[in-house]
Amino acid sequence: DAVTLKPLHSVPTGEYRTEWFKDGDGNLLALQEDREEHKIHAFWYDPETFSEIKTALLDVPFSESMAYDPQTDSIWVALGGQLMQFSISGGGATATLTVPKDIKEVLVEGDRVLVVSENGYDDNEEPGYKGGLLIVDASTGKMEQELALPWKHSEVDARGDEAIVTNNDGNSVSLVNLETGDYEVVALGSAAESLAVNDEGTLYIANRLGGSTIVTTDSEELDSPGWPVGLAYSPSFDQIFAYNML
Protein backbone atom coordinates (compact mmCIF):
# COMPACT_ATOMS: atom_id res chain seq x y z
CA ASP A 1 0.00 0.00 0.00
CA ALA A 2 1.54 3.30 -1.09
CA VAL A 3 0.15 5.19 1.91
CA THR A 4 0.71 2.77 4.81
CA LEU A 5 3.59 0.79 3.19
CA LYS A 6 1.93 -2.40 4.44
CA PRO A 7 2.32 -5.47 2.17
CA LEU A 8 -0.77 -6.28 0.11
CA HIS A 9 0.47 -9.37 -1.77
CA SER A 10 3.59 -11.46 -2.03
CA VAL A 11 5.04 -13.73 -4.71
CA PRO A 12 8.04 -16.09 -4.53
CA THR A 13 11.13 -14.62 -6.19
CA GLY A 14 13.59 -17.49 -5.93
CA GLU A 15 17.12 -17.61 -4.56
CA TYR A 16 18.78 -15.16 -6.95
CA ARG A 17 18.17 -11.71 -8.38
CA THR A 18 14.84 -10.67 -9.89
CA GLU A 19 14.16 -7.58 -12.03
CA TRP A 20 10.61 -6.18 -12.32
CA PHE A 21 9.02 -4.43 -15.31
CA LYS A 22 5.61 -3.68 -16.80
CA ASP A 23 4.86 -5.29 -20.18
CA GLY A 24 2.96 -3.78 -23.11
CA ASP A 25 -0.37 -5.05 -21.73
CA GLY A 26 0.19 -3.49 -18.30
CA ASN A 27 0.99 -6.80 -16.58
CA LEU A 28 3.88 -7.20 -14.13
CA LEU A 29 6.87 -8.99 -15.64
CA ALA A 30 9.45 -10.57 -13.31
CA LEU A 31 12.75 -11.69 -14.84
CA GLN A 32 14.46 -14.09 -12.47
CA GLU A 33 18.07 -15.24 -12.65
CA ASP A 34 18.79 -18.98 -13.02
CA ARG A 35 22.51 -19.41 -12.34
CA GLU A 36 22.50 -23.17 -12.85
CA GLU A 37 20.87 -23.01 -16.29
CA HIS A 38 22.46 -19.63 -17.19
CA LYS A 39 19.04 -18.52 -18.35
CA ILE A 40 16.15 -16.31 -17.19
CA HIS A 41 12.80 -17.42 -15.81
CA ALA A 42 10.04 -14.99 -16.84
CA PHE A 43 6.84 -14.68 -14.79
CA TRP A 44 3.82 -12.55 -15.72
CA TYR A 45 1.45 -11.40 -12.95
CA ASP A 46 -1.87 -9.59 -12.82
CA PRO A 47 -1.08 -6.08 -11.45
CA GLU A 48 -4.18 -6.03 -9.23
CA THR A 49 -4.33 -9.55 -7.77
CA PHE A 50 -0.70 -10.67 -8.29
CA SER A 51 -2.05 -13.95 -9.64
CA GLU A 52 0.31 -15.69 -12.05
CA ILE A 53 -0.68 -15.40 -15.72
CA LYS A 54 2.06 -17.41 -17.41
CA THR A 55 5.73 -18.38 -17.21
CA ALA A 56 8.56 -18.99 -19.65
CA LEU A 57 12.22 -20.03 -19.57
CA LEU A 58 14.20 -17.59 -21.71
CA ASP A 59 17.49 -18.53 -23.36
CA VAL A 60 18.97 -15.24 -22.19
CA PRO A 61 21.91 -14.87 -19.79
CA PHE A 62 21.28 -12.90 -16.61
CA SER A 63 23.43 -9.83 -16.80
CA GLU A 64 25.08 -6.95 -14.98
CA SER A 65 22.08 -4.84 -15.93
CA MET A 66 19.01 -5.25 -18.08
CA ALA A 67 15.92 -3.42 -19.31
CA TYR A 68 12.66 -4.44 -20.94
CA ASP A 69 11.26 -2.72 -24.04
CA PRO A 70 7.44 -3.05 -24.19
CA GLN A 71 7.30 -1.65 -27.74
CA THR A 72 9.35 -4.53 -29.18
CA ASP A 73 8.67 -7.07 -26.37
CA SER A 74 12.39 -7.58 -25.96
CA ILE A 75 15.10 -7.49 -23.29
CA TRP A 76 18.33 -5.47 -23.48
CA VAL A 77 21.14 -6.99 -21.41
CA ALA A 78 24.69 -5.80 -20.67
CA LEU A 79 27.16 -8.60 -20.04
CA GLY A 80 30.92 -8.95 -20.41
CA GLY A 81 31.49 -5.92 -22.61
CA GLN A 82 28.46 -6.47 -24.83
CA LEU A 83 24.98 -4.96 -25.03
CA MET A 84 22.53 -7.47 -26.52
CA GLN A 85 18.86 -7.39 -27.44
CA PHE A 86 16.78 -10.58 -27.09
CA SER A 87 13.16 -11.06 -28.13
CA ILE A 88 10.89 -12.48 -25.43
CA SER A 89 9.56 -14.91 -28.05
CA GLY A 90 13.06 -16.39 -28.51
CA GLY A 91 15.41 -16.72 -31.46
CA GLY A 92 18.70 -15.47 -29.99
CA ALA A 93 20.21 -12.01 -29.96
CA THR A 94 18.75 -9.60 -32.53
CA ALA A 95 21.36 -6.89 -31.86
CA THR A 96 24.85 -6.93 -30.31
CA LEU A 97 27.05 -3.91 -29.56
CA THR A 98 30.44 -3.55 -27.89
CA VAL A 99 30.31 -1.54 -24.65
CA PRO A 100 32.51 -1.10 -21.53
CA LYS A 101 32.55 -4.02 -19.09
CA ASP A 102 31.33 -2.01 -16.10
CA ILE A 103 27.76 -1.17 -17.12
CA LYS A 104 25.69 -0.04 -14.11
CA GLU A 105 22.27 0.57 -15.64
CA VAL A 106 20.34 -0.01 -18.86
CA LEU A 107 17.16 2.04 -19.37
CA VAL A 108 14.67 1.94 -22.25
CA GLU A 109 13.19 5.40 -22.69
CA GLY A 110 10.80 5.71 -25.63
CA ASP A 111 12.69 4.87 -28.81
CA ARG A 112 16.13 4.98 -27.15
CA VAL A 113 18.18 2.68 -24.92
CA LEU A 114 20.34 4.57 -22.40
CA VAL A 115 23.35 2.70 -21.01
CA VAL A 116 25.55 3.99 -18.15
CA SER A 117 29.17 2.97 -17.61
CA GLU A 118 30.59 3.49 -14.11
CA ASN A 119 34.22 4.11 -15.09
CA GLY A 120 34.73 2.44 -18.47
CA TYR A 121 36.32 5.43 -20.21
CA ASP A 122 38.97 6.30 -17.62
CA ASP A 123 42.20 7.19 -19.47
CA ASN A 124 44.27 8.06 -16.38
CA GLU A 125 45.10 11.40 -17.97
CA GLU A 126 43.24 13.52 -15.45
CA PRO A 127 42.31 13.27 -11.76
CA GLY A 128 39.21 11.34 -10.80
CA TYR A 129 37.29 8.86 -12.91
CA LYS A 130 35.46 8.83 -16.23
CA GLY A 131 32.40 6.75 -16.98
CA GLY A 132 29.96 7.48 -19.74
CA LEU A 133 26.59 7.31 -21.45
CA LEU A 134 25.76 5.26 -24.54
CA ILE A 135 22.63 6.12 -26.55
CA VAL A 136 21.20 3.37 -28.76
CA ASP A 137 18.30 3.41 -31.22
CA ALA A 138 15.86 0.88 -29.71
CA SER A 139 14.23 -0.02 -33.03
CA THR A 140 17.37 -0.52 -35.15
CA GLY A 141 19.88 -1.54 -32.47
CA LYS A 142 22.37 1.02 -33.82
CA MET A 143 24.60 3.13 -31.60
CA GLU A 144 23.62 6.80 -31.85
CA GLN A 145 26.16 8.33 -29.47
CA GLU A 146 28.90 7.22 -27.08
CA LEU A 147 29.80 9.91 -24.53
CA ALA A 148 32.64 9.88 -21.98
CA LEU A 149 31.62 11.88 -18.90
CA PRO A 150 33.76 12.85 -15.87
CA TRP A 151 33.38 10.93 -12.59
CA LYS A 152 31.85 7.59 -11.70
CA HIS A 153 28.21 6.94 -12.51
CA SER A 154 25.52 4.52 -11.39
CA GLU A 155 22.09 5.64 -12.62
CA VAL A 156 20.36 7.38 -15.50
CA ASP A 157 16.87 8.77 -15.95
CA ALA A 158 15.29 10.90 -18.65
CA ARG A 159 12.88 13.77 -19.11
CA GLY A 160 11.98 14.50 -22.70
CA ASP A 161 15.11 14.75 -24.85
CA GLU A 162 17.38 15.06 -21.80
CA ALA A 163 19.15 12.32 -19.87
CA ILE A 164 20.22 12.80 -16.25
CA VAL A 165 23.28 10.85 -15.10
CA THR A 166 24.43 10.65 -11.47
CA ASN A 167 28.04 11.69 -10.79
CA ASN A 168 28.71 9.70 -7.62
CA ASP A 169 32.10 11.13 -6.70
CA GLY A 170 31.40 14.52 -8.25
CA ASN A 171 28.48 15.45 -5.96
CA SER A 172 26.52 16.40 -9.05
CA VAL A 173 24.50 15.23 -12.04
CA SER A 174 25.16 15.60 -15.76
CA LEU A 175 22.27 16.82 -17.91
CA VAL A 176 22.79 15.39 -21.39
CA ASN A 177 21.01 16.57 -24.55
CA LEU A 178 20.06 13.31 -26.28
CA GLU A 179 19.99 14.94 -29.71
CA THR A 180 23.35 16.73 -29.66
CA GLY A 181 25.31 14.96 -26.92
CA ASP A 182 26.08 18.29 -25.23
CA TYR A 183 25.92 18.25 -21.44
CA GLU A 184 26.13 20.48 -18.40
CA VAL A 185 27.05 19.57 -14.84
CA VAL A 186 24.77 20.65 -11.98
CA ALA A 187 26.01 20.41 -8.38
CA LEU A 188 23.46 18.50 -6.27
CA GLY A 189 23.94 16.73 -2.96
CA SER A 190 26.85 14.63 -1.76
CA ALA A 191 27.55 11.16 -3.15
CA ALA A 192 24.73 11.37 -5.71
CA GLU A 193 23.95 7.67 -6.17
CA SER A 194 20.28 7.60 -7.08
CA LEU A 195 17.77 9.86 -8.78
CA ALA A 196 14.12 10.12 -9.71
CA VAL A 197 12.11 12.51 -11.88
CA ASN A 198 8.44 13.30 -11.28
CA ASP A 199 5.83 14.06 -13.95
CA GLU A 200 6.51 17.79 -13.70
CA GLY A 201 10.21 17.29 -14.43
CA THR A 202 11.48 17.97 -10.89
CA LEU A 203 14.68 16.06 -10.21
CA TYR A 204 15.23 14.31 -6.85
CA ILE A 205 18.73 13.21 -5.76
CA ALA A 206 19.66 10.93 -2.85
CA ASN A 207 21.95 13.07 -0.70
CA ARG A 208 23.46 10.18 1.26
CA LEU A 209 26.57 11.85 2.67
CA GLY A 210 25.16 15.36 2.84
CA GLY A 211 22.85 14.86 5.81
CA SER A 212 20.72 11.84 4.83
CA THR A 213 18.30 13.96 2.81
CA ILE A 214 16.81 14.11 -0.67
CA VAL A 215 17.57 17.30 -2.58
CA THR A 216 15.64 18.64 -5.56
CA THR A 217 16.10 21.06 -8.42
CA ASP A 218 13.31 23.13 -6.83
CA SER A 219 15.69 23.88 -3.90
CA GLU A 220 13.77 21.60 -1.54
CA GLU A 221 15.53 19.31 0.94
CA LEU A 222 13.53 16.38 2.29
CA ASP A 223 14.55 14.37 5.36
CA SER A 224 15.32 10.70 4.71
CA PRO A 225 17.18 9.32 7.75
CA GLY A 226 19.47 6.36 7.25
CA TRP A 227 21.52 7.12 4.12
CA PRO A 228 19.13 7.11 1.14
CA VAL A 229 20.69 5.10 -1.71
CA GLY A 230 17.69 4.32 -3.92
CA LEU A 231 14.82 6.48 -5.19
CA ALA A 232 11.75 5.75 -7.28
CA TYR A 233 8.84 7.91 -8.42
CA SER A 234 5.27 6.62 -8.59
CA PRO A 235 3.15 8.55 -11.13
CA SER A 236 0.01 6.83 -9.80
CA PHE A 237 0.47 8.29 -6.32
CA ASP A 238 2.69 11.25 -7.25
CA GLN A 239 5.13 10.25 -4.52
CA ILE A 240 8.87 9.65 -4.20
CA PHE A 241 9.90 6.44 -2.44
CA ALA A 242 13.36 6.09 -0.86
CA TYR A 243 15.39 3.03 0.07
CA ASN A 244 17.73 3.72 2.99
CA MET A 245 20.92 1.77 3.65
CA LEU A 246 20.87 2.04 7.46
Side-chain angles (χ1 to χ4, degrees):
D1 183 278
V3 177
T4 65
L5 298 185
K6 292 181 179 179
L8 298 177
H9 303 280
S10 65
V11 295
T13 56
E15 183 179 357
Y16 303 117
R17 292 184 298 166
T18 301
E19 297 279 355
W20 289 87
F21 304 97
K22 183 180 288 187
D23 72 6
D25 295 324
N27 297 314
L28 298 176
L29 170 60
L31 300 178
Q32 187 178 115
E33 177 183 28
D34 188 325
R35 293 184 182 177
E36 284 73 29
E37 295 288 338
H38 299 286
K39 296 181 180 181
I40 290 177
H41 286 280
F43 300 86
W44 286 262
Y45 297 97
D46 183 282
E48 298 293 333
T49 65
F50 271 63
S51 59
E52 186 178 291
I53 299 173
K54 62 178 179 178
T55 67
L57 182 62
L58 309 180
D59 192 16
V60 178
F62 206 92
S63 58
E64 294 137 4
S65 184
M66 70 167 60
Y68 171 74
D69 184 356
Q71 296 188 69
T72 58
D73 196 29
S74 63
I75 307 170
W76 288 89
V77 301
L79 179 66
Q82 289 186 317
L83 178 69
M84 298 168 283
Q85 181 186 27
F86 294 88
S87 173
I88 287 285
S89 60
T94 55
T96 302
L97 298 90
T98 300
V99 298
K101 293 182 179 180
D102 64 344
I103 298 303
K104 298 295 289 184
E105 185 175 14
V106 180
L107 172 71
V108 175
E109 183 67 25
D111 57 359
R112 291 186 174 99
V113 184
L114 307 180
V115 186
V116 172
S117 162
E118 180 182 36
N119 190 38
Y121 297 94
D122 193 5
D123 51 20
N124 295 315
E125 294 182 358
E126 57 185 66
Y129 302 92
K130 186 187 294 182
L133 176 67
L134 301 95
I135 305 170
V136 179
D137 186 304
S139 59
T140 65
K142 302 293 185 182
M143 184 79 72
E144 290 186 352
Q145 298 187 65
E146 189 170 358
L147 308 173
L149 304 173
W151 300 299
K152 286 185 177 182
H153 316 284
S154 61
E155 284 193 19
V156 63
D157 208 331
R159 52 183 180 189
D161 285 328
E162 182 180 64
I164 307 109
V165 182
T166 58
N167 301 327
N168 302 155
D169 56 332
N171 302 328
S172 61
V173 295
S174 293
L175 308 180
V176 183
N177 186 307
L178 293 174
E179 296 292 339
T180 66
D182 296 332
Y183 70 92
E184 64 172 316
V185 177
V186 177
L188 272 177
S190 180
E193 295 180 31
S194 186
L195 62 89
V197 181
N198 69 11
D199 282 344
E200 296 179 352
T202 300
L203 174 61
Y204 296 79
I205 295 292
N207 186 29
R208 177 170 66 91
L209 297 181
S212 284
T213 62
I214 300 169
V215 296
T216 80
T217 46
D218 288 344
S219 301
E220 287 186 89
E221 191 162 0
L222 312 174
D223 288 334
S224 184
W227 280 17
V229 294
L231 299 181
Y233 172 68
S234 167
S236 300
F237 297 98
D238 192 27
Q239 290 180 325
I240 295 289
F241 292 86
Y243 166 72
N244 296 332
M245 180 184 292
L246 302 180

